[in-house]
Amino acid sequence: MSQPEQHRGRWRPRLDRPALVALVFGLAGVVYRLVLTLFTVPVSNSDEATFGLAALHIGQGRDLPVFLYGQHYMGMLESYLAAPLVAVFGPSWPVLRVPMLALYAVFLYLIHRLTRRLCAPWFAVLVVGLLALGPERVVRDQLTVVGGRPEVKPAVLLMLLITVGLAAGTVRRRRLAVALFGLLVGLAVWSDWLILPYLAVVGLALVWAVRRELLGWSGLLLVGGVLVGVAPMILDNLRAGPGDDSLSVFREVSTKEGPLPSWAERVRGGLLEGVPLAHGLCPVDGCGRWQQGFGALYPVLLVAGAALAVLAYRRAAATPRGERVGPVVQLALLAGAALTLLSYVRSPLAATSPLDNARYLSVLQLSLPAVLWPLWVAAVTSWRGTRSLLGRLAGALSTAVLVALTATTLVVTVRFATTGVTASRTEERQARELAAALRADGPHEVYGDYWTCNRLIFNTDETVVCGVLDAGLRPGQNRYRPYWRQVGRAERPGYVVEVGSPMERRLRALLGDRADAALVREVGDYRVYHPDTPVRPWR
């Protein structure tokens, strides 16, 4: 990545040309996301607000949650990362998202290091360039605080770099490195179970690299690191009641009632919609035929990448372990992608709602270097003048695919940055105006729907407290029960509803002739009702 340069008696690293270009691309990606963060794009929501409220409680010393409020299967590491900033600067969306931006920068740095080590310098530049781009689906997974994905990807890359260093003998404190590997595994398991396929194959790569060492102290340190990282989850599950443990809850939320779509429907939704969306090739409203073509090509690239890795391993069979670790890590990345895809298409959501659930495939970005490597090898071989007609044809097609991927990602990103942020900023402005109006003039205890309540509480720094109702004005998904109890004790609560929503129609029907008198203000798409007597039909 860099070469030492002597300057006035000191040695300083000097970036070579590929590393310098990669640095420029990486900085551009970070600055682009910084601008989005400052403008709260993508738009915030109540799921993210729940993490923000947890960060607020952590910073104030009021609570130390293990899992997201109201569930038992998603760790709160992102809230703990944001808690010091929220405690110092107060609750705001840019403050909450700054740690996610830092994690993205670390992710870019680590994937560049790994790709350059395993593949080629200029190929690492291409990978960084593609990952620096990002339309709404991609940046939403990278910047919003909704649990898991922003932190587990750098963790996996660091684990792979540790494996490479151990195999190559470049790590001096080997036992400490193995312990760190275990700690990262434990933290990733606590944070987000979607990363389990990658953890499994990365663990196998570590066993291949240092299997003899793991029979001694290194093995104990590895297990100890895992236990320390996953300790919050273990302790919480020991206290959980029947059916409230993480595995039971995760199994329940992963099961969708009704007929199971066919394998063909699920594979189509996962490959043709989910894969292109996860890699930033499509706008958030869906993929065209060309973008779907990349999804169809994806399994072919997985097989081709695996074949290249096996061939490289066999050619290096007589060399030291450090020379063979590259193909092993590539196989791990390819296997992780394949297992993640298989896990995803087992769910009916891959067929019934592929656009909304493509976020579960965002971890596939980890495998981008291994997936695109066959195309790069074929293209470079053709550029260097292969004599084979088949080789030239394969090189030309590979070059065309790489160019098309880059151009498509760039066009979709530019389109989002220039025209796709308006709706987000409008919605965010209305949410802030609603919060400011209620904070200044009340009411301060209100009922609303799920997507209104926690965002309203976060925007007002808990000055306004909101209880969640469903469309029929029955108790809804109240993740943090103290808010619900506080509103329930209010003698005269307000009601925040969207204009023309089923919730507003039900409220007006219950208020009858008092409905118009109870309407106190309208802010954007919201109406605030403050009747003289509370409307609590569930009582």
Side-chain angles (χ1 to χ4, degrees), residues 264-452:
E265 293 174 312
R266 285 177 280 156
V267 170
R268 184 186 184 280
L271 284 178
L272 302 189
E273 295 285 350
V275 170
L277 275 166
H279 287 84
L281 292 171
C282 310
V284 72
D285 55 353
C287 302
R289 290 294 180 87
W290 149 244
Q291 292 100 324
Q292 291 180 351
F294 176 73
L297 183 63
Y298 198 81
V300 178
L301 294 176
L302 290 178
V303 174
L308 279 180
V310 170
L311 181 61
Y313 185 86
R314 294 183 63 182
R315 287 177 176 174
T319 62
R321 191 174 296 272
E323 299 295 327
R324 290 175 285 154
V325 69
V328 171
V329 170
Q330 286 181 316
L331 284 172
L333 289 173
L334 294 166
L339 291 173
T340 298
L341 266 175
L342 180 61
S343 175
Y344 178 70
V345 299
R346 288 180 67 251
S347 168
L349 296 176
T352 59
S353 186
L355 299 183
D356 293 335
N357 292 285
R359 63 186 184 275
Y360 298 125
L361 293 177
S362 67
V363 293
L364 293 181
Q365 292 176 352
L366 286 166
S367 299
L368 187 63
V371 170
L372 297 186
W373 181 237
L375 296 174
W376 181 270
V377 170
V380 170
T381 302
S382 174
W383 299 340
R384 291 176 178 174
T386 179
R387 295 182 179 181
S388 167
L389 177 62
L390 182 61
R392 291 198 298 269
L393 178 60
L397 290 175
S398 298
T399 301
V401 171
L402 289 174
V403 171
L405 286 174
T406 304
T408 302
T409 309
L410 178 61
V411 168
V412 176
T413 300
V414 171
R415 178 183 173 187
F416 166 67
T418 54
T419 64
V421 302
T422 303
S424 294
R425 295 188 65 184
T426 299
E427 181 181 344
E428 202 64 44
R429 184 182 67 254
Q430 290 183 1
R432 288 196 304 269
E433 291 173 351
L434 174 66
L438 292 179
R439 188 170 189 169
D441 303 321
H444 289 164
E445 287 89 15
V446 300
Y447 290 104
D449 66 14
Y450 176 81
W451 296 111
T452 299

